[in-house]
Amino acid sequence: MTDLHSFRATTRAWLEENCPETMRQPMSEADVCWGGRKWVFQSEDQRLWLDRMATRGWTVPEWPQAYGGGGLSGDEAGILKEEMSRINARPPLQSFGIWMLGPALLEFGTEEQKRHYLPKIARGEIRWCQGYSEPGAGSDLAGLQTKGVDCGSHFEVTGQKIWTSYADQADWIFCLVRTEPDAPKHKGISFLLFDMTSAGVSTQPIQLISGASPFCETFFDQVEVPADQIVGARGNGWTIAKYLLTHEREMIGSSDAALFGSEDVVEVAKDAIGLNALSQLDDPLLRAKIADFLVDEAAFDAELARAQDWMRAGNQLGVQSATLKYTGTELNKRRQELIMEVSGLDALEWDFAQAASDEKASLWLRSKANSIEGGTSEVMLSILSKAVLELG
Amino acid sequence: MVRDMAAGFLEKNAPVSALRNLRDRADSQGYDTSVYTDMAGMGWTGMMSSEDVGGLDLGAGVAGLVAEEMGRRLSAAPFLSSAVMAATMARACNAVEISAKIASGNAVVAVAFDEVSKHRPDKVSTKAEVSGNGFVLSGSKRFVSDAVGADAVLVTAMTDQGLGVFLVDPKLRGVVTNQVSTVDSRNAASMDFNQVVLGGDTLIAQGSEAESALALTLRVGRSVAASEMVGLSKEVAERTNAYLRDRKQFGVALAQFQALQHRAADLYTQIQTTEAITSAALAAFDANHEDAERLSRVAKAKANKTASLAVREAVQMHGGIGMTDAIDIGLFMKKARACIEYLGDDSCHAEWLLQDRGL
């Protein structure tokens, strides 16, 4: 206990000294530091903050020090998190490498792979993207068809991925390919890592109904992937993919508001519609809709807080992440619908080609994807009905 | 541990079949006194009372666990009315003598606050006019839970110095307790107070003290009632899911149909979030948190919505058998309806939320 006490004191002092003032300001999506070869730091402070944190291994506080991590215990990492939020310190680095590939490598990678890949993730030197979904394999991910032909010294990868977020910015990809075309669909998948500059890789951004997006289509035409860049055994990729998806779902409880939204319907309504002589929103039916929303919003907030407490206590969310995902994303769709409704004609003024991502119409349209990406609402309900309710 | 103990006791002594029996024999009290005596023996009647008066001071969080298990079994007992709400009100008014009786289970005390068909505890027409050293009480209250056979009733009435809380002996001349047969087969009465002569010591709180005692009572009532509804919702959902697994149509179990799976799963998520907000409300009450009032209202509103959904889905998914009195699903639907109305429906609390936000 005293050890934790002194850890808190030294951490607090170190953060005070080393976190630049501009890195203690509220951040928007545009201020995220993603790292990677192509990364252009938005400020000297952003570079300095990443460098200082990475040197201590605190971009990935709980990873072993041998792989670039901080080697902190869960309790210590919790304290670091608390102390960072105490001064509103921004995360020095965010990446799919930290959230997804890292944990998978720690679990399934060889010692060489861990030593080779993890420190580069921790320092933000290599930015990763995820090659999972395909045009013909969305909810039914295990039906993926991108081919990986084992040629001995290398795999030859041919096929197409879709919804690869930031593929155009990423340096490397972790990618699911079918190496055993004749095996049952879950048994024939392998987990490969390769450089996005490899010959035969091309990407193309996807324009969403909400405007520009980080999503891309990614094409592989006979891409040569060295044989030692497979994680786990050939045909064992689905196990890794599932582990990683579980990890992604665990992230849901701690993820920031992106998927669940945080805009305050009440404030928008006051602003847009105004109050009548009774100091009530001058639109009784809309007011009633907002009231109903507020009840569900507050209940979801309690559920999210409960999940976060549960995780802070060192537990896994497990299948409860499906409850959060389903409830939070469906709620956000309602939130954005309501915001459009209370904003009326004003919110219709929107330029598809020029729209910023935080404009009302952009958020409204983008929110429709919340209940599709990362597992559709229908998939979440199926998970719950089978795993919890034992139906079907 | 409290939960397991409560579940074990209630399963044996106050299961759904006990409520059915009470209904079928038109029991005027609507609960079995010996069950309440046993509850008192286990300390349940003193959960909300201070140790000075012989209570256990366990708080709303623990009372919520008991209420949830009662909700699962539709257990009939004046737990919410007397052991939770009256106890909280008596405690807030520093009414030591009656607090001790409530805590020991020696007295069942009802709380009378509603006067019109919807929950409007701030609309008080009942009047207590000063007369000599005491008061004359006149007016009427509706849907006083567990008033039939109660040893005392805590009554809100307007005085010349604002709201008052009176401890009224129902045997006094001029007090008429009209038992009401309700949809949920529980103990409820409308009460008339016809020029009831009260001693000065029956006024146990007045003015802002009375206001805050009432607020506290309704707050704990809402949160514990929400727990009861969480229990009810869980039970009725579980019974429905069991039925879906069991019942075969078109040659397969109903549980095979995705249309039903998804509805059942959606209900499950609603129950989860309701449980979360209810726990938060109970904890906030016990901590006297500044957000306790809002949380109790959200909890009640959400519990209303969820219980309503749960029982409607239960009847529909059970199909024809769900409409029959032979199985218990209908009893859950009836209890849910009464729970929703008692202490405020979702609109009532959503309206408060809006006003709280300045909308």
Side-chain angles (χ1 to χ4, degrees), chain B residues 194-277:
Chain B
N194 302 318
Q195 306 285 316
V196 180
V197 177
L198 297 175
D201 60 348
T202 61
L203 175 65
I204 60 171
Q206 193 172 23
S208 62
E209 243 176 68
E211 298 275 2
S212 67
L214 177 61
L216 210 59
T217 304
L218 297 173
R219 186 185 299 164
V220 76
R222 286 189 290 268
S223 307
V224 175
S227 283
E228 189 175 12
M229 295 166 84
V230 167
L232 180 156
S233 302
K234 282 183 182 173
E235 179 69 22
V236 85
E238 285 167 21
R239 287 181 183 221
T240 303
N241 292 336
Y243 184 76
L244 294 181
R245 286 189 287 266
D246 204 42
R247 167 81 169 167
K248 285 195 170 65
Q249 287 288 277
F250 306 104
V252 293
L254 293 183
Q256 298 295 324
F257 294 104
Q258 196 178 55
L260 300 179
Q261 289 174 358
H262 284 193
R263 278 164 58 181
D266 174 73
L267 174 59
Y268 169 80
T269 65
Q270 303 287 346
I271 294 172
Q272 289 296 108
T273 57
T274 308
E275 185 184 64
I277 186 70

XYZ file of all heavy atoms in Angstrom, chain B residues 194-277:
633
model
N -62.269 12.791 8.673
C -63.426 13.664 8.866
C -63.321 14.366 10.212
O -63.715 13.802 11.224
C -64.719 12.849 8.800
C -64.851 12.111 7.478
O -64.559 12.665 6.424
N -65.252 10.854 7.537
N -62.754 15.560 10.174
C -62.642 16.343 11.418
C -62.025 15.503 12.543
O -62.567 15.396 13.634
C -64.028 16.846 11.856
C -64.786 17.610 10.790
C -64.223 19.014 10.599
O -63.936 19.706 11.569
N -64.028 19.432 9.365
N -60.902 14.900 12.227
C -60.241 14.039 13.219
C -59.492 14.913 14.222
O -58.669 15.751 13.836
C -59.249 13.075 12.530
C -58.571 12.180 13.569
C -59.975 12.246 11.489
N -59.794 14.713 15.482
C -59.147 15.505 16.531
C -57.819 14.843 16.896
O -57.777 13.665 17.282
C -60.055 15.606 17.773
C -59.339 16.382 18.879
C -61.376 16.270 17.409
N -56.751 15.601 16.706
C -55.408 15.066 16.962
C -54.738 15.834 18.095
O -54.903 17.054 18.210
C -54.532 15.202 15.710
C -54.959 14.440 14.457
C -54.038 14.802 13.293
C -54.918 12.932 14.707
N -53.970 15.142 18.891
C -53.182 15.802 19.928
C -52.022 16.557 19.303
O -51.620 16.272 18.162
N -51.483 17.506 20.009
C -50.386 18.318 19.492
C -49.157 17.493 19.165
O -48.401 17.812 18.239
N -48.951 16.387 19.920
C -47.740 15.586 19.703
C -47.823 14.711 18.453
O -46.857 14.031 18.115
C -47.476 14.718 20.942
C -48.635 13.780 21.233
O -49.721 13.965 20.626
O -48.451 12.856 22.059
N -48.966 14.731 17.765
C -49.046 13.932 16.535
C -48.359 14.632 15.367
O -48.080 14.002 14.349
C -50.512 13.654 16.136
O -51.155 14.909 15.903
C -51.240 12.879 17.223
N -48.112 15.922 15.518
C -47.369 16.646 14.474
C -45.883 16.356 14.689
O -45.281 16.827 15.649
C -47.622 18.152 14.577
C -46.809 19.025 13.600
C -47.188 18.751 12.148
C -47.001 20.504 13.915
N -45.292 15.550 13.798
C -43.894 15.151 14.044
C -42.899 15.928 13.191
O -41.710 15.873 13.423
C -43.693 13.626 13.894
C -44.059 13.152 12.491
C -44.508 12.868 14.944
C -43.661 11.702 12.228
N -43.402 16.664 12.211
C -42.511 17.563 11.472
C -43.366 18.608 10.778
O -44.515 18.345 10.403
C -41.682 16.804 10.447
N -42.783 19.778 10.617
C -43.540 20.872 10.029
C -42.605 21.750 9.201
O -41.408 21.841 9.475
C -44.175 21.704 11.152
C -45.247 22.676 10.676
C -45.979 23.325 11.832
O -45.448 23.401 12.945
N -47.197 23.790 11.592
N -43.208 22.391 8.182
C -42.436 23.322 7.373
C -41.333 22.613 6.597
O -41.539 21.526 6.059
N -40.172 23.224 6.564
C -39.096 22.670 5.736
C -38.665 21.291 6.230
O -38.235 20.444 5.443
C -37.903 23.624 5.734
O -37.410 23.768 7.038
N -38.816 21.069 7.534
C -38.484 19.740 8.063
C -39.415 18.672 7.490
O -38.975 17.571 7.134
C -38.648 19.747 9.590
C -37.379 19.489 10.359
C -37.635 19.608 11.860
O -38.354 18.736 12.392
O -37.150 20.577 12.464
N -40.683 19.022 7.415
C -41.658 18.087 6.855
C -41.407 17.879 5.365
O -41.477 16.755 4.852
C -43.075 18.612 7.079
N -41.090 18.971 4.688
C -40.805 18.884 3.247
C -39.639 17.936 2.999
O -39.683 17.087 2.108
C -40.427 20.270 2.680
C -41.505 21.328 2.792
C -42.502 21.295 1.655
O -42.382 20.410 0.794
O -43.412 22.154 1.649
N -38.590 18.104 3.801
C -37.422 17.275 3.520
C -37.638 15.838 3.984
O -37.123 14.901 3.367
C -36.138 17.884 4.104
O -36.190 17.852 5.501
N -38.436 15.646 5.035
C -38.756 14.271 5.449
C -39.553 13.561 4.355
O -39.298 12.398 4.032
C -39.553 14.289 6.753
N -40.499 14.288 3.778
C -41.300 13.698 2.697
C -40.416 13.401 1.480
O -40.505 12.327 0.878
C -42.443 14.646 2.304
C -43.309 14.177 1.129
C -44.001 12.847 1.434
C -44.346 15.243 0.753
N -39.554 14.364 1.162
C -38.676 14.173 -0.002
C -37.797 12.934 0.180
O -37.640 12.123 -0.740
C -37.806 15.410 -0.209
N -37.257 12.786 1.376
C -36.384 11.653 1.672
C -37.154 10.330 1.587
O -36.668 9.325 1.064
C -35.814 11.833 3.081
C -34.439 11.264 3.371
C -33.393 11.864 2.448
C -34.066 11.527 4.828
N -38.390 10.366 2.099
C -39.236 9.168 2.098
C -39.564 8.731 0.679
O -39.474 7.551 0.332
C -40.545 9.474 2.857
O -40.206 9.932 4.166
C -41.422 8.245 2.941
N -39.930 9.698 -0.149
C -40.273 9.370 -1.529
C -39.026 8.917 -2.283
O -39.084 8.012 -3.112
C -40.897 10.583 -2.217
C -42.227 11.060 -1.613
C -42.671 12.359 -2.268
C -43.306 9.987 -1.768
N -37.904 9.537 -1.947
C -36.657 9.194 -2.626
C -36.281 7.744 -2.355
O -35.980 6.976 -3.262
C -35.542 10.126 -2.156
C -34.244 9.944 -2.892
C -33.156 10.812 -2.297
N -33.486 12.229 -2.387
C -32.877 13.183 -1.683
N -31.903 12.861 -0.840
N -33.230 14.438 -1.821
N -36.299 7.364 -1.098
C -35.933 5.976 -0.783
C -37.003 5.035 -1.328
O -36.693 3.946 -1.820
C -35.704 5.778 0.730
C -37.010 5.730 1.508
C -34.888 4.517 0.984
N -38.255 5.482 -1.264
C -39.342 4.648 -1.786
C -39.151 4.348 -3.263
O -39.270 3.203 -3.699
N -38.820 5.386 -4.023
C -38.609 5.205 -5.463
C -37.472 4.234 -5.744
O -37.573 3.365 -6.606
C -38.276 6.548 -6.117
C -39.439 7.480 -6.279
C -39.042 8.679 -7.134
N -38.120 9.574 -6.463
C -38.484 10.634 -5.749
N -39.754 10.921 -5.586
N -37.575 11.401 -5.188
N -36.381 4.400 -5.009
C -35.199 3.580 -5.291
C -35.446 2.122 -4.922
O -35.064 1.210 -5.661
C -33.986 4.117 -4.529
O -33.810 5.492 -4.803
N -36.079 1.908 -3.774
C -36.344 0.526 -3.350
C -37.453 -0.084 -4.214
O -37.393 -1.267 -4.568
C -36.681 0.469 -1.842
C -37.068 -0.939 -1.427
C -35.479 0.942 -1.021
N -38.433 0.732 -4.581
C -39.478 0.241 -5.498
C -38.851 -0.154 -6.831
O -39.243 -1.153 -7.446
C -40.550 1.303 -5.704
N -37.872 0.624 -7.269
C -37.184 0.286 -8.524
C -36.506 -1.074 -8.397
O -36.531 -1.883 -9.329
C -36.175 1.372 -8.894
N -35.926 -1.343 -7.229
C -35.314 -2.659 -6.999
C -36.344 -3.768 -7.100
O -36.093 -4.824 -7.683
C -34.712 -2.735 -5.591
O -33.519 -2.044 -5.538
N -37.481 -3.528 -6.497
C -38.543 -4.530 -6.549
C -38.921 -4.806 -8.013
O -39.115 -5.943 -8.419
C -39.766 -4.030 -5.759
C -40.837 -5.082 -5.576
C -41.991 -4.618 -4.676
O -42.069 -3.406 -4.379
O -42.799 -5.473 -4.283
N -38.948 -3.736 -8.800
C -39.316 -3.890 -10.212
C -38.210 -4.551 -11.020
O -38.481 -5.244 -12.006
C -39.674 -2.523 -10.803
C -40.927 -1.955 -10.142
S -41.145 -0.212 -10.509
C -41.953 -0.336 -12.079
N -36.958 -4.336 -10.608
C -35.853 -5.045 -11.263
C -36.030 -6.542 -11.031
O -35.910 -7.359 -11.958
C -34.480 -4.572 -10.727
C -33.367 -5.525 -11.156
C -34.171 -3.161 -11.215
N -36.356 -6.905 -9.787
C -36.569 -8.317 -9.471
C -37.721 -8.900 -10.270
O -37.621 -9.982 -10.847
N -38.796 -8.148 -10.317
C -39.981 -8.580 -11.079
C -39.622 -8.771 -12.554
O -39.968 -9.785 -13.166
C -41.076 -7.525 -10.904
C -42.433 -7.699 -11.574
C -43.478 -6.898 -10.795
C -42.446 -7.252 -13.024
N -38.895 -7.800 -13.094
C -38.544 -7.854 -14.522
C -37.629 -9.039 -14.820
O -37.806 -9.741 -15.823
C -37.845 -6.552 -14.949
O -38.680 -5.443 -14.689
N -36.644 -9.252 -13.952
C -35.731 -10.384 -14.154
C -36.505 -11.701 -14.141
O -36.302 -12.559 -15.002
C -34.691 -10.428 -13.023
C -33.555 -9.439 -13.143
C -32.583 -9.671 -11.981
C -31.438 -8.682 -12.001
N -30.598 -8.800 -10.797
N -37.367 -11.826 -13.149
C -38.083 -13.089 -12.992
C -38.990 -13.371 -14.188
O -38.986 -14.466 -14.733
C -38.916 -13.042 -11.697
C -39.729 -14.284 -11.431
C -38.889 -15.509 -11.088
O -37.728 -15.332 -10.640
O -39.389 -16.636 -11.271
N -39.706 -12.358 -14.591
C -40.664 -12.577 -15.673
C -39.916 -12.827 -16.983
O -40.332 -13.643 -17.814
C -41.673 -11.405 -15.742
C -41.157 -10.239 -16.547
C -43.017 -11.859 -16.247
N -38.755 -12.181 -17.158
C -37.944 -12.415 -18.357
C -37.368 -13.834 -18.332
O -37.367 -14.525 -19.351
C -36.820 -11.384 -18.445
N -36.905 -14.260 -17.176
C -36.338 -15.610 -17.080
C -37.409 -16.675 -17.323
O -37.150 -17.684 -17.986
C -35.674 -15.814 -15.714
C -34.337 -15.088 -15.626
C -33.793 -14.985 -14.201
O -34.214 -15.785 -13.337
O -32.941 -14.102 -13.960
N -38.582 -16.431 -16.777
C -39.666 -17.390 -17.013
C -40.013 -17.445 -18.496
O -40.297 -18.507 -19.043
C -40.915 -16.997 -16.211
C -40.763 -17.264 -14.719
C -42.037 -16.884 -13.974
N -41.874 -17.072 -12.534
C -42.809 -17.584 -11.736
N -43.973 -17.957 -12.232
N -42.583 -17.732 -10.450
N -39.982 -16.286 -19.131
C -40.301 -16.241 -20.563
C -39.239 -16.969 -21.374
O -39.555 -17.748 -22.275
C -40.424 -14.780 -21.025
O -41.412 -14.136 -20.225
C -40.826 -14.695 -22.482
N -37.965 -16.740 -21.027
C -36.889 -17.412 -21.756
C -36.968 -18.933 -21.570
O -36.720 -19.690 -22.509
C -35.523 -16.881 -21.310
C -35.323 -15.434 -21.734
O -35.950 -14.973 -22.690
N -34.482 -14.711 -21.026
N -37.319 -19.346 -20.376
C -37.469 -20.783 -20.126
C -38.600 -21.347 -20.995
O -38.489 -22.434 -21.563
C -37.753 -21.028 -18.649
N -39.654 -20.563 -21.102
C -40.781 -21.003 -21.931
C -40.363 -21.097 -23.401
O -40.723 -22.050 -24.103
C -41.959 -20.033 -21.763
C -43.190 -20.468 -22.509
C -43.993 -21.497 -22.029
C -43.547 -19.860 -23.717
C -45.119 -21.913 -22.727
C -44.663 -20.272 -24.413
C -45.450 -21.294 -23.919
O -46.557 -21.698 -24.614
N -39.580 -20.124 -23.860
C -39.121 -20.137 -25.255
C -38.264 -21.379 -25.535
O -38.307 -21.947 -26.619
C -38.295 -18.881 -25.573
C -39.030 -17.536 -25.548
C -38.067 -16.402 -25.905
C -40.216 -17.530 -26.505
N -37.486 -21.794 -24.546
C -36.644 -22.984 -24.727
C -37.492 -24.260 -24.758
O -37.166 -25.225 -25.422
C -35.616 -23.081 -23.590
C -34.482 -22.076 -23.701
C -33.380 -22.364 -22.689
N -33.770 -22.027 -21.335
C -33.522 -20.860 -20.740
N -32.861 -19.917 -21.390
N -33.905 -20.642 -19.510
N -38.586 -24.204 -24.055
C -39.407 -25.384 -23.828
C -40.465 -25.608 -24.910
O -40.684 -26.715 -25.365
C -40.108 -25.181 -22.466
C -40.505 -26.495 -21.861
O -39.674 -27.428 -21.932
O -41.637 -26.594 -21.343
N -41.081 -24.541 -25.281
C -42.254 -24.608 -26.157
C -41.853 -24.848 -27.613
O -41.008 -24.130 -28.154
C -43.017 -23.282 -26.032
C -44.073 -23.031 -27.068
C -45.352 -23.745 -26.750
N -46.434 -23.290 -27.617
C -47.599 -23.923 -27.716
N -47.829 -25.014 -27.006
N -48.542 -23.455 -28.522
N -42.468 -25.850 -28.205
C -42.158 -26.156 -29.602
C -43.334 -25.780 -30.513
O -44.484 -26.077 -30.215
C -41.865 -27.644 -29.760
C -40.499 -28.056 -29.230
C -40.118 -29.444 -29.755
C -38.677 -29.791 -29.444
N -38.427 -29.920 -27.991
N -43.000 -25.145 -31.622
C -43.969 -24.892 -32.685
C -43.231 -25.043 -34.005
O -42.028 -24.777 -34.070
C -44.549 -23.477 -32.570
C -45.537 -23.305 -31.416
C -46.864 -23.992 -31.656
O -47.754 -23.498 -32.300
N -47.001 -25.219 -31.125
N -43.938 -25.439 -35.049
C -43.312 -25.704 -36.355
C -42.158 -26.701 -36.202
O -41.155 -26.626 -36.904
C -42.788 -24.400 -36.995
C -43.827 -23.322 -37.104
C -43.819 -22.249 -36.230
C -44.824 -23.407 -38.069
C -44.777 -21.255 -36.315
C -45.792 -22.402 -38.165
C -45.771 -21.332 -37.287
N -42.253 -27.560 -35.193
C -41.250 -28.606 -35.020
C -39.972 -28.180 -34.314
O -39.053 -28.980 -34.158
N -39.874 -26.922 -33.909
C -38.655 -26.480 -33.198
C -39.040 -25.658 -31.970
O -40.165 -25.150 -31.872
C -37.724 -25.608 -34.094
C -37.148 -26.424 -35.219
C -38.459 -24.386 -34.623
N -38.071 -25.535 -31.074
C -38.306 -24.690 -29.896
C -38.456 -23.241 -30.338
O -37.782 -22.802 -31.282
C -37.142 -24.820 -28.923
N -39.314 -22.499 -29.664
C -39.475 -21.075 -29.993
C -38.143 -20.336 -29.887
O -37.910 -19.351 -30.576
C -40.492 -20.416 -29.051
C -41.954 -20.855 -29.164
C -42.805 -20.045 -28.197
C -42.469 -20.699 -30.591
N -37.272 -20.832 -29.005
C -35.963 -20.189 -28.802
C -35.119 -20.180 -30.066
O -34.130 -19.452 -30.146
C -35.200 -20.896 -27.678
N -35.499 -20.997 -31.071
C -34.743 -21.024 -32.326
C -35.057 -19.824 -33.212
O -34.323 -19.542 -34.156
C -35.061 -22.300 -33.121
C -34.694 -23.598 -32.410
C -33.202 -23.746 -32.205
O -32.412 -23.333 -33.049
N -32.813 -24.294 -31.063
N -36.145 -19.141 -32.938
C -36.549 -18.044 -33.826
C -35.818 -16.750 -33.468
O -35.922 -16.250 -32.342
C -38.063 -17.830 -33.764
C -38.845 -18.991 -34.310
C -39.485 -19.873 -33.464
C -38.900 -19.212 -35.682
C -40.196 -20.959 -33.966
C -39.609 -20.298 -36.189
C -40.251 -21.175 -35.334
N -35.099 -16.226 -34.441
C -34.288 -15.033 -34.178
C -35.148 -13.824 -33.807
O -34.738 -12.993 -33.002
C -33.433 -14.705 -35.399
C -32.316 -13.748 -35.083
C -31.438 -13.459 -36.287
O -31.921 -13.048 -37.335
N -30.153 -13.687 -36.123
N -36.341 -13.774 -34.373
C -37.225 -12.642 -34.060
C -37.486 -12.589 -32.559
O -37.581 -11.502 -31.973
C -38.542 -12.776 -34.820
N -37.596 -13.761 -31.932
C -37.854 -13.812 -30.492
C -36.556 -13.665 -29.706
O -36.514 -12.996 -28.663
C -38.548 -15.128 -30.130
C -39.901 -15.346 -30.820
C -40.496 -16.688 -30.423
C -40.863 -14.221 -30.480
N -35.481 -14.277 -30.207
C -34.173 -14.159 -29.533
C -33.800 -12.699 -29.344
O -33.367 -12.290 -28.270
C -33.070 -14.818 -30.381
C -33.130 -16.319 -30.443
C -32.099 -16.883 -31.421
O -31.369 -16.141 -32.079
N -32.053 -18.199 -31.518
N -33.958 -11.930 -30.404
C -33.513 -10.539 -30.331
C -34.377 -9.704 -29.398
O -33.887 -8.812 -28.718
C -33.442 -9.941 -31.739
C -32.239 -10.420 -32.490
N -31.807 -9.855 -33.661
C -31.367 -11.424 -32.226
C -30.720 -10.484 -34.088
N -30.442 -11.450 -33.237
N -35.655 -10.013 -29.373
C -36.516 -9.284 -28.430
C -36.139 -9.641 -26.991
O -36.084 -8.766 -26.117
C -37.988 -9.599 -28.703
C -38.531 -8.750 -29.848
C -39.813 -9.282 -30.393
N -40.861 -9.396 -29.391
C -42.078 -9.857 -29.649
N -42.380 -10.254 -30.878
N -42.980 -9.929 -28.699
N -35.881 -10.912 -26.772
C -35.493 -11.343 -25.423
C -34.162 -10.705 -25.021
O -33.982 -10.287 -23.878
C -35.392 -12.862 -25.361
N -33.240 -10.612 -25.976
C -31.924 -10.033 -25.676
C -32.041 -8.531 -25.441
O -31.377 -7.980 -24.562
C -30.949 -10.327 -26.810
N -32.876 -7.880 -26.219
C -33.086 -6.446 -25.999
C -33.638 -6.203 -24.595
O -33.171 -5.323 -23.869
C -34.057 -5.876 -27.041
C -34.413 -4.425 -26.736
O -33.547 -3.563 -26.946
O -35.529 -4.175 -26.252
N -34.608 -7.007 -24.213
C -35.169 -6.873 -22.861
C -34.081 -7.089 -21.812
O -34.007 -6.347 -20.821
C -36.311 -7.880 -22.670
C -36.893 -7.962 -21.260
C -37.452 -6.613 -20.813
C -37.981 -9.035 -21.187
N -33.238 -8.076 -22.068
C -32.137 -8.341 -21.123
C -31.263 -7.086 -20.935
O -30.922 -6.719 -19.811
C -31.290 -9.514 -21.639
C -29.995 -9.691 -20.889
C -29.959 -10.337 -19.650
C -28.793 -9.200 -21.410
C -28.773 -10.474 -18.948
C -27.607 -9.336 -20.715
C -27.601 -9.972 -19.488
O -26.422 -10.097 -18.802
N -30.931 -6.424 -22.049
C -30.077 -5.224 -21.928
C -30.809 -4.119 -21.162
O -30.191 -3.386 -20.393
C -29.639 -4.670 -23.304
O -30.785 -4.199 -24.024
C -28.924 -5.727 -24.119
N -32.108 -4.020 -21.367
C -32.878 -2.999 -20.639
C -32.835 -3.287 -19.135
O -32.711 -2.378 -18.317
C -34.343 -2.979 -21.099
C -34.550 -2.747 -22.581
C -34.287 -1.314 -23.004
O -34.196 -0.420 -22.183
N -34.139 -1.095 -24.286
N -32.954 -4.563 -18.803
C -32.932 -4.934 -17.385
C -31.546 -4.644 -16.792
O -31.434 -4.164 -15.666
C -33.325 -6.422 -17.201
C -34.792 -6.624 -17.611
C -33.121 -6.863 -15.753
C -35.239 -8.075 -17.662
N -30.505 -4.904 -17.577
C -29.149 -4.633 -17.094
C -28.960 -3.152 -16.746
O -28.447 -2.804 -15.688
C -28.110 -5.030 -18.158
C -27.958 -6.508 -18.355
C -27.430 -7.199 -17.106
O -28.162 -7.911 -16.434
N -26.189 -6.964 -16.769
N -29.360 -2.284 -17.673
C -29.163 -0.859 -17.410
C -30.063 -0.389 -16.273
O -29.692 0.483 -15.499
C -29.409 0.013 -18.663
O -30.720 -0.222 -19.137
C -28.426 -0.296 -19.760
N -31.223 -1.001 -16.158
C -32.123 -0.634 -15.057
C -31.508 -1.024 -13.720
O -31.575 -0.266 -12.742
C -33.491 -1.330 -15.226
O -33.969 -1.073 -16.534
C -34.486 -0.809 -14.213
N -30.915 -2.196 -13.704
C -30.242 -2.647 -12.482
C -29.104 -1.681 -12.123
O -28.930 -1.321 -10.953
C -29.690 -4.062 -12.718
C -29.073 -4.700 -11.508
C -28.469 -6.058 -11.853
O -27.509 -6.117 -12.651
O -28.971 -7.059 -11.339
N -28.373 -1.231 -13.137
C -27.238 -0.326 -12.892
C -27.702 1.007 -12.312
O -27.141 1.503 -11.326
C -26.454 -0.101 -14.184
N -28.735 1.589 -12.904
C -29.188 2.897 -12.417
C -29.840 2.750 -11.041
O -29.724 3.631 -10.185
C -30.137 3.591 -13.434
C -30.480 5.019 -12.991
C -31.422 2.836 -13.648
C -29.350 5.994 -13.068
